[in-house]
Amino acid sequence: MVQRLRVTVVELPSRWGEPEEALAEVDEILSESTSELTLLPEASLTGYVSPDLEFDLRPFAEPIDGPTAQALAALARKHATHLFGPLILEENGQRFNATVGFAPNGEHIVTYRKRHPWIPETWATAGREPHPLFEIAGFRVTIACCYDIHFLADEAEDTLDAADVLLFPSAWVEEEDSRPRRLRALARRHRLAIAGANWGRGLLWVP
């Protein structure tokens, strides 16, 4: 019997400083979804860059048990999905561009701290932990975020080989989008499916 994993890749508009509105839209979107796994884009609850081209997300930083993480956990429970969403994480005096995951019962699954903040992300501390590998519905899942893609081949080859699914939240800004070429190559090389959630159009590849 072929195993299947239903995935929802959420597209959200570029807002700035309106997390309650963003979370309300996610709630509405998930009310029409029956997916086992849901992925939100990078920094999509706070915004990645302001209308004045301000990249400093430190004012939005929260601990792992803060209101944003609690809201994501509540949405995971309400809609019975494994929900992965962005968090500007404050931890031990440092701030990380993080992705946090919650099980359908609201249990915290994983926190991934972006290993390679993009050049304007001077506010963010680089994550030092390796790309995680965990299981959802019998599938092995890992995470990378946006600019990490330039380093995956060197840093995470064994993890990608072991994974069935790569979650790839991003706030991609290229005029000519190179994600399809880069991620398609990863999917073929490592024989894994990739779910890419962006603040524009999301993408999905299967090997």
Side-chain angles (χ1 to χ4, degrees):
M1 184 176 180
V2 177
Q3 283 185 297
R4 297 185 184 276
L5 180 67
R6 294 170 296 176
V7 177
T8 292
V9 172
V10 176
E11 300 174 16
L12 290 175
S14 177
R15 290 185 177 89
W16 180 256
E18 299 177 347
E20 293 83 6
E21 288 82 353
L23 286 163
E25 184 167 353
V26 172
D27 187 14
E28 183 177 354
I29 290 170
L30 292 184
S31 69
E32 301 177 1
S33 170
T34 58
S35 294
E36 294 150 311
L37 190 156
T38 303
L39 178 64
L40 309 184
E42 176 188 16
S44 56
L45 301 181
T46 59
Y48 184 80
V49 57
S50 78
D52 298 324
L53 302 182
E54 173 60 61
F55 285 86
D56 187 0
L57 302 187
R58 286 177 296 180
F60 305 122
E62 301 176 12
I64 189 61
D65 58 353
T68 297
Q70 290 183 26
L72 290 170
L75 287 174
R77 286 194 299 269
K78 179 178 179 179
H79 299 287
T81 187
H82 294 83
L83 178 59
F84 294 81
L87 177 65
I88 310 306
L89 175 63
E90 183 172 3
E91 192 174 62
N92 299 322
Q94 298 176 316
R95 294 164 181 85
F96 299 90
N97 185 343
T99 299
V100 290
F102 297 93
N105 64 0
E107 180 183 353
H108 175 243
I109 301 171
V110 68
T111 298
Y112 172 67
R113 299 159 186 83
K114 187 177 181 180
R115 289 177 54 85
H116 297 279
W118 190 40
I119 296 167
E121 293 175 46
T122 56
W123 60 270
T125 299
R128 288 176 287 276
E129 296 179 359
H131 297 273
L133 189 64
F134 51 94
E135 188 171 306
I136 292 178
F139 291 86
R140 294 162 297 179
V141 181
T142 189
I143 306 173
C145 184
C146 207
Y147 200 60
D148 287 336
I149 195 172
H150 299 285
F151 307 91
L152 275 173
D154 294 328
E155 294 183 348
E157 183 175 10
D158 290 345
T159 300
L160 294 175
D161 283 339
D164 302 304
V165 181
L166 168 64
L167 304 182
F168 188 72
S170 63
W172 207 264
V173 295
E174 288 180 318
E175 288 187 17
E176 184 176 348
D177 191 347
S178 65
R179 284 179 306 154
R181 172 177 56 83
R182 294 177 183 277
L183 295 179
R184 190 179 296 115
L186 283 175
R188 290 173 176 169
R189 177 178 177 181
H190 299 283
R191 298 186 60 80
L192 80 167
I194 301 177
N198 199 49
W199 56 356
R201 185 169 60 93
L203 299 168
L204 179 66
W205 289 269
V206 294

